[in-house]
Amino acid sequence: MKGGGEFKRAPRIRRLSRDELALWRHATADVKTTRDRIRSEPEPAPPAPEPPVAPPVASPVRTPPRAPDEKPKPPALPPLAPLERRMKRRLSAGKAQVDDVIDLHGLTQAQAHRALNNFLWRSAENGAKLVLVITGKGAPAGDAERYDSERGVLRRNAPHWLRTPELRAIVLSIEEAARPHGGSGALYVRLRRRSPG
């Protein structure tokens, strides 16, 4: 053979069993083939002339109606970018500084959430690129009863607040702070550049 090709065998056709053949005939008993339809159907009458129609007016594109309980989905937010390794090293070594700092110690959850929102929007408007959010590590284990709350509530909730759609418009990345800036009790927050206007 030329080219070293092989012959391909045609697929083997299996014959239907008696039961399968009976089932097939029963299922297709009332089906007419195209040839049968052409022979049995009378020829249709020529269509009546239609009255002239005005040219269609361009209508706006309409989206299909949604079910009443279906809400439009907001566009997907881009994932948070990690802080660059070089920047982390510079911050740890004290060679780079944060542009602004907020300390949330002693605030309730509601006060801290409001203060954090205001601080981040104000910092972004002032052109800050990297800010430090100090949440604290929480009350010492023995003092948790004294404050009538669980330990580290702000530390746990601040990352969730920073990931909300409202703040994602300005938050580019979130990262645990280096030890000189508070370690696990603080967060670096990199802000997006705000376009003027």
Side-chain angles (χ1 to χ4, degrees), residues 91-179:
L91 286 164
S92 294
K95 294 179 181 176
Q97 295 299 317
V98 293
D99 297 322
D100 210 347
V101 179
I102 185 171
D103 189 347
L104 303 176
H105 278 107
L107 300 178
T108 65
Q109 283 186 63
Q111 291 169 336
H113 191 192
R114 192 170 34 257
L116 181 61
N117 280 347
N118 293 339
F119 167 75
L120 290 173
W121 282 104
R122 188 176 54 252
S123 295
E125 290 298 321
N126 292 335
K129 295 177 187 170
L130 184 69
V131 296
L132 181 66
V133 177
I134 301 172
T135 60
K137 295 179 182 178
D143 288 349
E145 294 82 29
R146 189 175 107 200
Y147 291 107
D148 194 32
S149 66
E150 38 186 311
R151 183 182 158 116
V153 175
L154 297 181
R155 176 180 168 205
R156 245 188 347 269
N157 286 333
H160 296 294
W161 297 336
L162 293 166
R163 287 182 175 90
T164 60
E166 176 189 353
L167 287 178
R168 284 297 306 282
I170 56 171
V171 173
L172 183 61
S173 68
I174 307 166
E175 192 93 23
E176 185 175 296
R179 287 189 94 166

Side-chain angles (χ1 to χ4, degrees), residues 4-24:
E6 294 183 20
F7 288 110
K8 293 195 177 195
R9 292 186 180 184
R12 202 169 196 187
I13 299 174
R14 184 177 71 86
R15 296 198 181 265
L16 297 176
S17 69
R18 285 185 183 177
D19 292 337
E20 291 171 329
L21 190 56
L23 180 63
W24 176 255

